[in-house]
Amino acid sequence: MAMTDVLSAEDIKKAVGAFSAAESFNYKKFFEMVGLKKKSPEDVKKVFHILDKDRSGFIEEEELKFVLKGFTPEGRDLSDKETKALLAAGDKDGDGKIGAD
C-alpha cells in the first residue's frame, strides 16, 4: 500500500514542502496539512503501518527520523531535536516507541 492510497498526493506535497527547512517540522500542523485529522481511525492505522518500516507494530525513534520520506521520497530527514519531539508526543507509555493505538 502506498501513502497516496490513503492521502492526497497534492496534500502530501504541500505539507512536506511546508517543512522543508531544517528545524521547521511541526507534527500537529503537518498531520493536519496531509489530511490525517479528517481520516478515520482505520485510515490512520494504514498510514501508521506504512511508516512502520520494520513491521514491528511500533514506530521507533530511528523510523521517526525518516517520517517525511515515508510520505514522499522527496522528504527530508528530521533533525534529532525534531525526532525526539515527535517521539515524546506519540510515546504515551514512555517505552521509547509509538504504538498503533
Side-chain angles (χ1 to χ4, degrees):
M1 172 176 291
M3 198 62 77
T4 52
D5 291 337
V6 184
L7 302 171
S8 154
E10 188 62 29
D11 288 346
I12 292 170
K13 184 177 179 179
K14 285 180 186 174
V16 170
F19 300 103
S20 61
E23 301 299 335
S24 67
F25 185 69
N26 177 309
Y27 63 88
K28 287 182 182 180
K29 287 181 184 176
F30 178 80
F31 292 139
E32 184 175 329
M33 289 179 76
V34 295
L36 271 176
K37 292 201 174 214
K38 297 182 232 167
K39 294 294 182 181
S40 69
E42 294 80 21
D43 281 344
V44 172
K45 283 190 178 187
K46 287 177 189 173
V47 169
F48 177 91
H49 291 298
I50 293 168
L51 296 173
D52 179 17
K53 298 294 186 196
D54 66 2
R55 305 284 183 244
S56 66
F58 297 95
I59 299 177
E60 295 87 1
E61 186 171 345
E62 192 58 33
E63 290 169 316
L64 283 179
K65 184 172 193 74
F66 308 110
V67 73
L68 294 179
K69 287 183 178 171
F71 285 87
T72 179
E74 292 79 35
R76 69 174 176 87
D77 296 346
L78 296 183
S79 69
D80 288 342
K81 181 180 176 183
E82 291 169 316
T83 302
K84 289 185 186 313
L86 181 54
L87 179 62
D91 181 13
K92 300 300 181 196
D93 61 6
D95 64 355
K97 51 192 174 185
I98 300 171
D101 296 326

